[in-house]
Amino acid sequence: MQRDPDDRPIVRARDVEHAYPGRAAEPVLRGVSLDVQRGEMLAVVGPSGSGKSTLLACLSGLERPLRGTVEIDGTDIGPLSRQRSARFRRGRVGFVFQSYNLLPALTARENVALPARLAKRPADRRTVDAALDAVGMLDSAHRYPDSMSGGQQQRVAIARTLVARPQVVFADEPTGALDTVAGGAVLDLLRHTASGQRSVVMVTHDLAAAARADRAIVLRDGIVHAELVAPDVDALFDSIERASVRA
Ligand SMILES: Nc1ncnc2c1ncn2[C@@H]1O[C@H](COP(=O)(O)OP(=O)(O)OP(=O)(O)O)[C@@H](O)[C@H]1O
Ligand SMILES: [Mg+2]
């Protein structure tokens, strides 16, 4: 039977194993398989050091796993050269990481407009300003990153990611640097982003944030320890507590 390509998971990982150079004896990922469905918000939780950020880097193509395969939108990204991989990801994959990488010579508004321009899908001023408004940074559109707090830079970086309209957004602790109100706004935005054909994979320590996801996976020592569908805070807490108990 011919499958509709839109039914394929946007991300498909099989038996992903990873260790950092020079630390082959300490594998960080020890065989992770998962699918991210289109329109889904997936939370990745687990104790510190369990491999969450490494998993995100492998799923998004930033890090090449030692073994196993990662497909994005039906393409195995493993064999792609660094350059082709970057080109493939542009426009498909968005990042919300704690190092915001805003360009210091550009204003907030210019930073937000940049990736869409690079992807040759320029965003008009209204779209850019709507994204800045959604993260509460429209009043700062003319400011340069140096004059913003870490949390403000993070919000501009999120606006920048969303304006490029990627198929999948990878977010590592997106609310970590934010106060409750700003964190709530960012979470609303990510929740809203995960709909239709667009997906979000979010690493978080914040169980209330993880409970907004459609599904959560709990990592422990580099493997998927549990999977929770429509997770609530209590179930997440219990699961992470069990994952934190050393064997
Ligand atoms: N660039 C790197 N080089 C070498 N080792 C690394 C590197 N990045 C992470 N590690 C190691 O890999 C393991 C998993 O790290 P990772 O950052 O994936 O964990 P995490 O679950 O995201 O933790 P946290 O919740 O503290 O962010 C840790 O033991 C860490 O020391
Ligand atoms: Mg991490």
Side-chain angles (χ1 to χ4, degrees), residues 20 23 28 47-54 205:
Y20 285 100
R23 297 180 64 182
V28 175
S48 181
S50 57
K52 303 181 296 295
S53 295
T54 305
H205 282 285

Side-chain angles (χ1 to χ4, degrees), residues 19-21 23 26-29 45-56 63 172-173 203-205 219:
Y20 285 100
R23 297 180 64 182
E26 299 166 56
V28 175
L29 298 176
V45 298
S48 181
S50 57
K52 303 181 296 295
S53 295
T54 305
L55 177 63
L56 215 61
E63 189 81 36
D172 198 349
E173 301 281 359
V203 167
T204 184
H205 282 285
L219 273 195

Side-chain angles (χ1 to χ4, degrees), residues 72 77 94 103 126 225 233:
I72 297 179
I77 58 171
L103 294 184
R126 268 203 8 238
H225 172 74
V233 172

Side-chain angles (χ1 to χ4, degrees), residues 144-168:
Y144 290 90
D146 281 357
S147 72
M148 297 176 211
S149 73
Q152 290 170 331
Q153 290 182 46
Q154 172 124 345
R155 283 188 275 160
V156 172
I158 290 169
R160 178 184 60 175
T161 298
L162 298 183
V163 159
R165 301 178 68 78
Q167 291 176 323
V168 53

